[in-house]
Amino acid sequence: MRVFLSALSFLFILGVIAAAGVSYYGWHLYTKAGAPHEDTLFLVEKGQGVSQIADKLAQEGMIEQPLIFRIAARLGGHDQSIHAGEYQIPSGASVKDIIEKMANGEVFNRSITIPEGLTSWQIVQLLRDQMGVDESTVIDIPPEGSLLPDTYHYVRGDDAQMVIERMSAAMTAAIEDTWPQRDENSPILSKAEAVILASIVEKETGVASEREQVAGVFINRLKLGMALQTDPTVIYAITKGKIEDKGNGPLGRRLLTKDLQFESPYNTYKNPSLPPGPIANPGREAIKATLNPAHHDFLYFVADGTGGHVFSKTLDEHNANVAKWRKIRKAQK
């Protein structure tokens, strides 16, 4: 009996040692660093189970033994808590690291930056390109001036309409935030008018420091009942906002003198008031500049050849500046 008990004890101890060894080896495989590779985006699709995820991770070289992933996920109670989505798997990530990232839903955030001054049509095309939206998918073009240019984050699987709705909400918030700080003596009488003029300011200058000065010129003209006479409104009238600028300007050519006679309520050479709607989507700073323009006596401005503009108070001064600009442009050809 003693021999039997001794043998049984020996076998028990041996089993404990073996179990400990297996457990240690399993923990080692669970926590050890994975193979070095570039940080890689990995997609967990809706409905995928732990086994499918483990096999795909192994196929893509991110883990060595899918069995360890399956066992660890199930023992940890994560087999039902892994979130669908896109994950960035860093080089050397262990099975433990990957499971925890997926169980915590640490999905990879993508971003898209919308430059100031794009039309709504252009923004939709940008979303299509960067979010990989199929051309067969219909996306309604939002009203012009309703989207706030900014950087927006999204995750794979979000649709473009969700991003558009956030841009729209951001524009509404921007107008609500800036409107109370407006110049009370301004001829801009509504938030809608503010966005219209801001869109013109946005298109007229790419120099941030000029926005308030340019806005001041247009405000002065509105107060005097003068036509704004701004080329971007004519371009919008012709293109209806569907602008494909491939290096030759939004029209694919220079704006011609005859274009200034184009019949449209958006043509501010023929209509001495604000156009009926925005011609682009202005940024927050252009809106601020429109609501708080610089106070000066300038009524005219023209390009100065450096990306900015030269301002003048009289038509004679302006004509002289235009002549200088034409010489500069001729020399640049």
Side-chain angles (χ1 to χ4, degrees):
M1 180 62 71
R2 285 182 182 176
V3 172
F4 174 74
L5 290 174
S6 296
L8 192 62
S9 297
F10 175 75
L11 290 174
F12 175 76
I13 293 170
L14 191 64
V16 169
I17 293 172
V22 169
S23 297
Y24 175 80
Y25 184 63
W27 180 259
H28 170 71
L29 293 177
Y30 175 56
T31 58
K32 81 166 188 172
H37 58 77
E38 292 185 0
D39 290 1
T40 305
L41 293 176
F42 180 85
L43 179 64
V44 176
E45 298 180 14
K46 290 182 179 179
Q48 278 191 324
V50 166
S51 294
Q52 292 171 299
I53 296 169
D55 290 341
K56 187 177 177 183
L57 284 166
Q59 288 168 10
E60 296 188 16
M62 295 182 203
I63 62 173
E64 295 177 1
Q65 299 185 36
L67 179 61
I68 296 298
F69 186 95
R70 295 188 195 105
I71 292 173
R74 286 171 180 148
L75 288 177
H78 300 308
D79 51 328
Q80 299 299 320
S81 63
I82 288 179
H83 299 263
E86 189 175 33
Y87 296 88
Q88 185 171 46
I89 309 301
S91 176
S94 66
V95 170
K96 178 177 181 291
D97 294 334
I98 296 172
I99 289 175
E100 288 179 351
K101 181 181 283 285
M102 293 179 176
N104 292 332
E106 297 172 15
V107 293
F108 178 72
N109 276 303
R110 294 173 175 266
S111 66
I112 183 169
T113 298
I114 308 299
E116 291 91 344
L118 295 187
T119 67
S120 292
W121 183 87
Q122 286 178 297
I123 290 175
V124 168
Q125 306 319 303
L126 187 60
L127 288 173
R128 282 189 182 279
D129 291 343
Q130 294 202 18
M131 295 185 70
V133 180
D134 191 271
E135 282 299 325
S136 62
T137 302
V138 176
I139 304 177
D140 293 332
I141 306 299
E144 205 69 74
S146 66
L147 309 176
L148 185 71
D150 204 342
T151 295
Y152 295 88
H153 296 276
Y154 65 96
V155 297
R156 184 166 173 170
D158 286 353
D159 61 34
Q161 193 60 48
M162 291 171 60
V163 180
I164 287 172
E165 288 171 3
R166 282 162 44 208
M167 292 180 189
S168 179
M171 177 58 89
T172 299
I175 295 297
E176 294 298 326
D177 289 345
T178 54
W179 180 253
Q181 283 79 48
R182 69 190 182 281
D183 183 345
E184 296 292 346
N185 296 317
S186 171
I188 299 301
L189 302 178
S190 69
K191 297 170 187 175
E193 288 184 351
V195 176
I196 292 171
L197 186 54
S199 72
I200 296 173
V201 171
E202 195 73 86
K203 296 299 288 185
E204 276 288 6
T205 181
V207 179
S209 60
E210 282 191 349
R211 288 192 182 109
E212 292 182 3
Q213 194 127 330
V214 169
V217 170
F218 291 133
I219 291 295
N220 289 344
R221 284 184 164 240
L222 287 172
K223 286 180 176 179
L224 294 173
M226 291 177 63
L228 298 184
Q229 295 185 329
T230 170
D231 292 354
T233 62
V234 180
I235 292 170
Y236 188 84
I238 295 171
T239 64
K240 305 296 189 296
K242 295 183 178 180
I243 296 172
E244 296 187 65
D245 191 342
K246 298 179 180 178
N248 295 311
L251 293 176
R253 58 172 174 80
R254 282 177 49 196
L255 187 69
L256 305 175
T257 302
K258 67 178 183 180
D259 293 325
L260 305 185
Q261 299 304 313
F262 188 84
E263 287 295 339
S264 169
Y266 281 90
N267 185 347
T268 56
Y269 280 86
K270 296 180 72 69
N271 301 283
S273 60
L274 288 171
I279 61 169
N281 291 278
R284 183 183 292 270
E285 294 307 312
I287 296 170
K288 287 181 180 179
T290 298
L291 294 174
N292 286 281
H295 294 282
H296 53 60
D297 297 326
F298 297 130
L299 292 172
Y300 307 90
F301 61 90
V302 68
D304 62 5
T306 67
H309 295 84
V310 58
F311 296 81
S312 52
K313 299 177 182 179
T314 68
L315 185 57
D316 287 343
E317 290 176 353
H318 177 63
N319 288 338
N321 291 332
V322 170
K324 291 177 185 177
W325 162 237
R326 286 174 178 163
K327 287 181 181 179
I328 294 170
R329 189 170 61 187
K330 186 176 181 180
Q332 291 174 341
K333 290 183 179 179

